[in-house]
Amino acid sequence: MAIAAKAMQQQSTIHQTSQQEEDIRELAGSHILCEALVREGVELLYGYPGGTIMPFYDALTSYPTLHHVLVRHEQAAAHAADGYARATGKVGVCVATSGPGATNLVTGLATAYMDSTPVVAITGQVGRPLIGRDAFQETDILGVTQPITKHNFLVRNTEEIADIVHEAFRIARSGRPGPVLIDVPKDVQQAKAYYHPLAAMTSDEYLCLHVSPRPAAYLLSHAGQLIAQSQRPLIMAGHGVILSNAYAELYAFAEKTSIPVITTLLGLSAFPDTHPLHIGMPGMHGPAHVNEAIGVADLIIGVGLRFDDRVTGKVSEFAPHARIIHIDIDPSEMHKVKVATVPIVADAKVALSALTEVVAPDDKNVWLEEIRSWEAGDNERLQGVRRNNELPDPIGIMQAIRTATNGEAIIVTDVGQHQMWAARHYCWTRPNSHITSGGLGTMGFALPAAMGVKMGWPDSTVWVVAGDGGIQMNIQELATLQQEGLSVKVAIMNNGYLGMVRQWQHFFHADNYSETPISGPDYVKLADAYGVTGMRVTQREEIETAVQHAMQIEGTVIIDFVIESEANVFPMVAPGSAITNMIKEVPEEKS
Amino acid sequence: MTHSIAPIERAAQSSVPQGKERTYTLIILVDDRPGAVDRVVGLLRRRRASTQTLALVGSERPGVIRVTAQVTDSDVAVDHLLEQLRKLVDVRQAENVTRQHSVMRELALIKINSSITTRNEIIESGRLFGAHVIDSTPETVLLEVTASKEKIDELITLLEQYGICELARSGNIAITRQSSADMEEEISL
Ligand SMILES: Cc1ncc(C[n+]2csc(CCOP(=O)(O)OP(=O)(O)O)c2C)c(N)n1
Ligand SMILES: [Mg+2]
């Protein structure tokens, strides 16, 4: 591939020689960096200045198309870039100075890495003569980020800046996407070099040349045979479907085969929840009928997912009767957790459309009916659960948001119980409308990520659903939202606890609520202090009016929903247990 | 291409079986760019593959480093490790040569205590293993030997009775061979 890239590069060099000669200019490294970003189509950067990145910030004012958002903490810059990338499929860019600025990006980069999102981080570094000498604000950020980036670069001289920027974007976007960090010493930013705008291929040019190959015919026919033979097949769709924009292909495949569809946490909204074939989310907090279906399935078609332990529970008891067709673009995912009978290393979009061609139309209605009957039985059983009817309830909140937005909003969730309630009780229909930190489970992700989402989709309504713990982890970004004039609606499910941890303490640590009760500010006053609107909702019947009111207000709104303090997310699979072994809500329980 | 259509039934899961570890030899070619070797070593660390030997040196291609690593792990884990190594941007090639016809050699420099009475014995023992005398003083003999790891281990055991004052070993390097001669034969030469 690298050779082909080179060839194309040379070709385009020949073609463009005359124009290029005109364009060659001597520029400072900082300007070359900006030029290359512009050529990559970057419009937005999230960042925070400091000593070693100052030359870049100096150059930035000469590039009006590069809109820089001054966050209030570098972690938020990384999450915002990640949110933007998840929502748009474009590369999110964040910038920080060396030392503490760079280390503040770490959690955000790790979050992007775990969920395979294309992010490019640019960090300043101390000047080359000072590297390795414990200079002021020197951190070996290459070493620090090595295991949490897809790749990272130290720019050794000004001449390589443009090439590295384009390579970084290519790496971030191609194959299984991921974050890439570029560390630029201050003197490299200051030194001058000749900039040849067309000498390097942009990531767009590269990706146009490298279309994903179709899976081998024998794999497709083998998969087709397994599908035809199966009585109880399931499709499990993960983040890969969203990353490769394979909604239509998944839809066509599911409809042609009539195989029930499961969407993982990061696969939510890859397939409409309203479709008769959609049965739900698997794993630790999936509804019982989904986990039970996996327990008896004879074929699992996993598309763009990695069989995470929150999905599989005890691996040896996960889908014990099923053969596996595993489609993923990353060869290292094959057989990592479950040995695949048919491993298909390919882009989800390409693989699904190829597979749709080889399968015969089928009707697996009996199997779907069976799953539906379990679901109905469970729903009936849950009718008997006594509930508190006074306080706002998580399900009601999610449904109110859904109704008020017609399902057209993008929902960004944080990490905890509210995340699971949102995943389960919002009806996902708009493709890629669910944004959450799945793999790393990063509290504090939602608010800054929503900023990136909103800037990627300025005309869409963006809701944050967060817990009272997580919202306090990056609350400072209200100032950034306000400064940028952005409107994000924030629903806090305030239970006065680090709820998910408390739930584990309840089930596995004999109700020893060690350090999980948590207090917070008066969110109405806090909103006011930041210049946004705040509301508090303490009655269930006020939910809808509050949500609708929030939608009518122009700017950012925070609604503090005071929910029941000790409600649990059901069902629950204890970590390490088989997913068919669920802790279910019992009708006698007072909640 | 002929491929059997019958599904291959394999173990239900690929989790690393306990007690099934053995030693594998991997050859990894990486571009000589900043951090490239770090990433390879970092991956070995992250995987907690137990690294027995690691040799880093240039290759026949300029700008490409050849890493020979011997790791102890299970079969499944080594396959996954290789796929992960191949994912690293600077890695050009990663192969498990354990099962192929490959030649493995190690270099050892051994400094042994000697006296007038033992000197000749030491040199004679070394000669059996093809060792050369590099240096000798009234108190010590320095031997250089290139052989398989097993042969070197044997020689060291043999020399221990005289007292080894210093030992430097390079760790294995490996190369695959064209001929199909048995690996064991080669080792016993
Ligand atoms: C940065 C970070 N620290 C700690 C955790 C562990 N953790 C997971 S869920 C959770 C509780 C979250 O509490 P809250 O935000 O109030 O949400 P709730 O579960 O109450 O809905 C914690 C502490 C985490 N996921 N991320
Ligand atoms: Mg809480």
Side-chain angles (χ1 to χ4, degrees), chain A residues 107 414-419 421 440-444 466-471 473 493 495 497-501 518 563:
Chain A
T107 303
D414 214 72
V415 174
Q417 293 184 307
H418 64 278
Q419 179 190 30
W421 283 317
L440 201 67
T442 309
M443 284 172 70
D468 50 324
I471 197 68
M473 278 198 179
M493 294 198 187
N495 51 12
Y497 274 112
L498 299 174
M500 188 55 95
V501 180
I518 186 169
I563 64 165

Side-chain angles (χ1 to χ4, degrees), chain A residues 345-463:
Chain A
V345 177
D347 177 71
K349 193 181 181 79
V350 176
L352 281 171
S353 74
L355 202 51
T356 309
E357 285 168 28
V358 304
V359 293
D362 202 352
D363 178 1
K364 312 261 187 200
N365 218 24
V366 183
W367 165 229
L368 182 64
E369 289 305 318
E370 197 180 345
I371 300 171
R372 290 291 176 214
S373 72
W374 302 333
E375 185 182 14
D378 234 28
N379 286 343
E380 201 175 309
R381 198 179 55 83
L382 290 175
Q383 298 284 309
V385 178
R386 264 193 289 157
R387 296 180 194 279
N388 175 318
N389 284 320
E390 306 273 294
L391 291 170
D393 63 314
I395 300 180
I397 296 167
M398 293 320 297
Q399 285 171 350
I401 295 175
R402 159 93 202 170
T403 313
T405 58
N406 260 326
E408 285 303 311
I410 303 176
I411 313 291
V412 188
T413 64
D414 214 72
V415 174
Q417 293 184 307
H418 64 278
Q419 179 190 30
M420 292 299 122
W421 283 317
R424 289 282 310 280
H425 302 294
Y426 188 84
C427 177
W428 306 101
T429 46
R430 172 179 168 164
N432 199 17
S433 55
H434 173 255
I435 308 268
T436 200
S437 160
L440 201 67
T442 309
M443 284 172 70
F445 169 81
L447 189 64
M451 176 159 66
V453 173
K454 181 68 187 177
M455 295 183 87
W457 289 94
D459 297 330
S460 292
T461 304
V462 176
W463 274 86

